[in-house]
Amino acid sequence: MTVGFAFSPDQLHAQIPKVEFCTCSNNNLAAHTRSSIFMQIGTKKDGTPKRPRGRPRAYDPETALRRAAEAFWKTGYAGTSLDDITAATGMNRPSLSAAFGDKHQIYVKALSAYWEYKFGAMRRALEAGGTLAETLMKVYDTTLSIYFAGEEQGLGCFVVGTAITEAPGDVEVRNIVAKGFEKLDTDFEARFKLAIAAGELKPDADPRALALLTTATMHTLAVRARSGSSQNELRKLAQKVVNVICG
């Protein structure tokens, strides 16, 4: 995993992978698509596609993996069978296994790719400039555009919706989830420290507590999106939290 990172004032404009995200402050959010969220699967660090070695394959491995990831997002890890994955990818079981490994390996690739995408989007929102309140709303607008991905019915967060139930019994998944949450908390904590230094928050404000509140709200948005709340309703909820944080 190479995602997420705390940043200092001198690092606010450090180079990071470019990720398209919503910067608007109204309800007409620029939608991500679920396929675009998993575009980094099968991609080099510089963003260019990996070229398969040997003879050309009869299928596109990147497309196949993205479709498998989308299947996991809809029905979860346990609820997605190998038959579901073969149907989504158009590949039979032997070809799927030879290309990508077993179901667990495919899922871990999808989980890691989601973190890469989401943390890139969050980092861009945090570095976009503006007041603390504006920055937090950019973060939540970005978050919601991922959770809904251009659809009326949101699936929420891939991590919250699919990995949390697997984490207690799967050490690899649990470690990926825990490291991701910690990196997210750390980046928000760094942003709140900057806000305190700039006089946007009281000197005695607790940046760690505010970071945990911010990420906890993201998790709440994910659960509510998956359970049927509209994007507009959840944006109003996010705005209330920002009002509480910023005063």
Side-chain angles (χ1 to χ4, degrees), residues 107-134:
Y107 176 74
V108 168
K109 287 184 176 72
L111 180 60
S112 297
Y114 178 85
W115 268 137
E116 291 280 354
Y117 187 94
K118 185 171 182 178
F119 272 90
M122 294 298 97
R123 188 70 182 277
R124 289 290 295 273
L126 285 169
E127 295 184 349
T131 65
L132 176 62
E134 291 168 346

Side-chain angles (χ1 to χ4, degrees), residues 25 48 54 60 67 86 99 103 119 142 150 158 171 175 189 197 207 214 222:
S25 59
T48 59
D60 175 19
R67 289 175 177 171
T86 59
K103 172 183 168 180
F119 272 90
T142 301
F158 185 86
V171 174
N175 287 339
E189 182 178 3
T214 302

Side-chain angles (χ1 to χ4, degrees), residues 64-134:
L65 278 171
R66 288 196 294 273
R67 289 175 177 171
E70 291 173 43
F72 283 126
W73 202 348
K74 291 178 181 177
T75 55
Y77 179 78
T80 304
S81 67
L82 276 176
D83 286 339
D84 294 328
I85 297 173
T86 59
T89 60
M91 299 171 62
N92 59 38
R93 288 195 182 195
S95 297
L96 195 68
S97 178
F100 310 120
D102 60 21
K103 172 183 168 180
H104 186 266
Q105 290 172 306
I106 296 172
Y107 176 74
V108 168
K109 287 184 176 72
L111 180 60
S112 297
Y114 178 85
W115 268 137
E116 291 280 354
Y117 187 94
K118 185 171 182 178
F119 272 90
M122 294 298 97
R123 188 70 182 277
R124 289 290 295 273
L126 285 169
E127 295 184 349
T131 65
L132 176 62
E134 291 168 346

